[in-house]
Amino acid sequence: MSAETPAADVADQVTQSEAETAPDYRDTLFLPSTDFPMRAGLPKREPQWLERWARQDVYNRLRASAAGRTPFALHDGPPYANGHLHIGHALNKVLKDFVVRSHQMMGYDSRYVPGWDCHGLPIEWKIEEKYRAKGKSKDAVPINELRAECRAFAEQWVDIQRAEFKRLGVTGAWERPYLTMAFEAEATIAAEFHRFVMNGSLYQGSKPVMWSPMEQTALADAEVEYHDREVDTVWVKFPIKYAPSVVSGSIPLTASREVVTTFLKEKASQRAKHARELETASVLIWTTTPWTIPSNRAIAFGDGVSYGLYIVTGATPDGNWVQQHERFVVADALASEFFGRARLDPQQWTRVRDVGADDLEGMVCAHPLRGVAGGEGFWDYDVPLMPAGFVTDDTGSGFVHCAPSHGEDDYDLFRQHGMLDRITHNVGPDGGFESHVPLFHGTFILNRKGKDGTANKAVIEKLKETGMLAATRRQKISDAHSWRSKAPVIRLNRPQWLVAIDRPLDDGMGQHGATIRERALAAIDAQVRWVPRAGRNRIHSMMEARPDWVLSRQRAWGVPLACFARRTAEGEVELLRDEAVNARIVDAFRAEGADAWYADGARERFLAGVADAESWEKVDDILDVWFDSGSTHAFVMRDREDGVWPADVYLEGTDQHRGWFHSSILQACGTRGRAPYKAVVTHGFTLDENGQKMSKSLGNTVAPEDVIKQYGADILRLWAAQADFSADQRIGPEILKGTADSYRRLRNGFRYLLGALNGWDPATAVEPAEMPELERWVLHRLAVLDGEVRAGYRDFDYQSVVSKLFGFVTSDLSAFYFDVRKDALYCDPADSVRRRSALTVMDAIFRRLSTWLAPILVFTMEEVWLSRFGEGDDVSVHLVDFEPTPEAWRDDALAEKWAHVRRARRAVNGALEVARGDKTIGASLEAAPTLYAAVPAIAAALDGLDMAELCITSGLTVVADVPPEEAWLPEDAGDTPALGVVFGLAEGEKCARCWKVLPDVGQHAFPG
């Protein structure tokens, strides 16, 4: 009789098998009885529990009852309010719910305030798409009208996503979430920004930033994704104008005047020849962005790169861009590739000599468009060569053309050499050449659909016309794209507002470090627990290498850089630093929202009586949305009455090491001196069953709502708990089917517990000291599990929690304890110590299992709890804590003994399976085997135990001896078997009540 067999089925078996030979003894048995359904029906029933929890106000009840406990707060990384949830959202929110619920049930006042990111480009882009569909320009719409539409769009999606998150069973302050667009939040974001204004770290700079011509705004690294695309790469000639005349050699100090004179004449001749050879050559550069050539101001070479002077010796094909007798300076490792691209055979070119760093340092080239017809002298300037560590001979030509308005390395090189005054600004925010650029004005890098525009082609054609193009190649590269418009982005030098990461701060918090970078690196190492540990290495390396933080965006929807600036007589940008003005701005934002900044007369309003409004410009750029979300710790964790600062834990995907985790620690280190979190937990990405990235075009996406409709949210939650979230997880139909099968086995275990405990009176409970060893062993297992489960929840190791609990239910309970004790439960007298002990232990099992699993299977454990304790207003598994488990229950010596017992039982079961397989028996109660135990420790463990009861046979004899030759041996027996079993049939007749085969059946007053 299986522990999972429903009570009605058991009764039917008794009736059908014994009807002809004995009376019906069903009424004499204590059979399990429960209304708990075997089929869960979760998709239909889960919404009923959600409604019940809402009526009970469970979350706020817990806050009231937990008053005085140690507070624990998970700070919610805000999802973006612009679309339905995907499976990554579901994984993230469910993991957060595990954290919040488990810590509440471990005795904390565990708080969770859900939130949303509401500002920024993705929402504004949606509104712009609507305008474009109507043929309307965003620029023609009053800014606050546009902002109102953005706000309404975000509000709509907050409501939709809130319902979708709640359907997952996620608890929290859903009626009081935080929104970055709430007036209070906008006021706090502005106040946090003002801290950077006041501490001296904010400045206006002009450096290349990731720029989206399609959206006409700067982008953060986290807003950029990389995709392959084909581009035109070009090798371009930069004619050498001047080469240093450097020839090595020395003369002994004792040489005569005549010798010295002759030496100097010879060296002068050599220097002249050397220079002439180079000054008739061209330095060869290679680039994947031909449109940057008009903005070139220098060429970089590598100190460790070997260069040579090469000459074309053979006749070249008609139409070739490289001609006979032309000379080129190129990296030796790349010469062969270049000449091949120039359609020359190896016999048509040769190396003349080395070109060293001494030759290159101080060399000057002409711009390839110098003197071009129609160029109006625009490119008639010198192009110097400079050494740079970023130049290699891996690809291209070994030389990097530098356009410091479009390359970060180029910009840094010019900054190091004090040459920032030479930077050009030839490309506008729309990605088109500005009106002052001859020949190329009116051409664009990208067209209006985000594809290649006419700029590259125009530059290449002009280089052909001037004879400065050497070779071309169509090549696939990994290129940066905007994650919103999906169009390529460029590096563009635009005036931006930045926070200096390495500038000493004037804020009185120097004990945490002088600069933001110093504080952040110290916090990463000393203040934060990283789960998994690799997260520390990831964010630490990013923080070490990151540039200054670009805060400004040229958009409309968001919190503005609410400050005032002016240019001094010396041309420097000066910021207005005035606490009274800052306070006015924050108060206005709190009352009216950030729209107040864009209202008519805002400048005069905020500066009245403090500064001359005519002297100061209002900065209308909006803040990077990562500053918004990076500031949430201030208005959620610091300022709310249910907040805790710093937060106990942040939990997001691993991409947030460069996103929210990163911006939050930067922002907090700039304003509070330390990290805003104590622990950071990261999860991987969600892939399909084959390990492929999900894509609508591939048709391999798994929508949370589809899983919930088919299986219920608890199956999705169980999938999340069973996965190793620290790595990428897989999900799909077969995986979900396996998860549902695991769930059913667990559900059947609870169904059996509920049936057995039906009607049990706690007043009949037995003290552990009076219980049989088997029950005390189960209590020991509960004591061990209690520590393991709590440790798993503390360590955010939900896979371990589920694995241990499922193993306990399937192996320790269903396959062993329930199986062994069912006969005592069904057949023993109601007041027997053995039966009462079993029920006492089952009650302990029930209370612990249902609460241990409640943070994960929120709906099913509520159903289990209500099935046992009724549906009163105060009844919910989520209103209780984990059941305390006495340490006295732990008995390691008993556990060691019962490990031997279970090993012996497995040996007997193995022998019985063989007998079943050859049809010798149909059920284990037909057997009465002999068990041989050759190891003294095993024999001692079995001594005094009723092994027939434990093995569910009608009889069993234990012999402390070596198994005989005919004994069945376990597979792992080896050469000296510890256990062996000799099969034997039980003698007698089958008892109609307990089903055992006994010799005294029929000899009592009760037939059968």
Side-chain angles (χ1 to χ4, degrees), residues 194-202 499 503-507 509 516 519 577 670-671:
H194 287 154
R195 289 174 180 259
F196 291 96
V197 174
M198 301 303 291
N199 67 20
S201 61
L202 185 74
V499 165
R503 182 181 296 176
L505 301 178
D506 179 19
D507 60 5
M509 292 188 290
I516 292 175
R519 295 176 185 181
R577 294 187 173 93
T671 58

Side-chain angles (χ1 to χ4, degrees), residues 237 281-282 284 308-310 312 322 326-330 338-339 470:
K237 310 169 192 177
S282 293
L284 198 69
L309 176 64
Y310 291 80
V312 179
V322 170
E326 274 198 275
R327 297 167 182 258
F328 300 99
V329 180
V330 63
F338 159 64
F339 285 115

Side-chain angles (χ1 to χ4, degrees), residues 288-406:
T288 62
T289 54
W291 61 267
T292 61
I293 294 291
S295 300
N296 172 274
R297 295 304 307 235
I299 298 172
F301 66 90
D303 277 335
V305 176
S306 172
Y307 295 98
L309 176 64
Y310 291 80
I311 186 170
V312 179
T313 56
T316 57
D318 289 342
N320 234 39
W321 300 321
V322 170
Q323 302 300 317
Q324 188 174 15
H325 308 306
E326 274 198 275
R327 297 167 182 258
F328 300 99
V329 180
V330 63
D332 291 323
L334 298 165
S336 180
E337 180 187 356
F338 159 64
F339 285 115
R341 291 291 168 190
R343 297 182 293 169
L344 297 181
D345 295 329
Q347 297 77 21
Q348 294 177 289
W349 55 272
T350 189
R351 189 177 192 275
V352 177
R353 62 175 175 82
D354 292 344
V355 177
D358 288 344
D359 294 310
L360 298 173
E361 185 99 49
M363 184 180 284
V364 175
C365 291
H367 192 284
L369 296 176
R370 185 185 186 96
V372 63
E376 303 170 4
F378 190 80
W379 292 281
D380 293 355
Y381 51 77
D382 292 344
V383 177
L385 269 72
M386 297 184 288
F390 57 80
V391 181
T392 69
D393 57 5
D394 294 337
T395 187
S397 68
F399 291 100
V400 174
H401 105 86
C402 294
S405 53
H406 301 297

Side-chain angles (χ1 to χ4, degrees), residues 267-283:
K267 289 303 175 185
S269 176
Q270 288 179 22
R271 283 196 298 270
K273 179 184 177 185
H274 197 90
R276 283 196 302 273
E277 283 182 331
L278 290 176
E279 288 172 2
T280 57
S282 293
V283 170

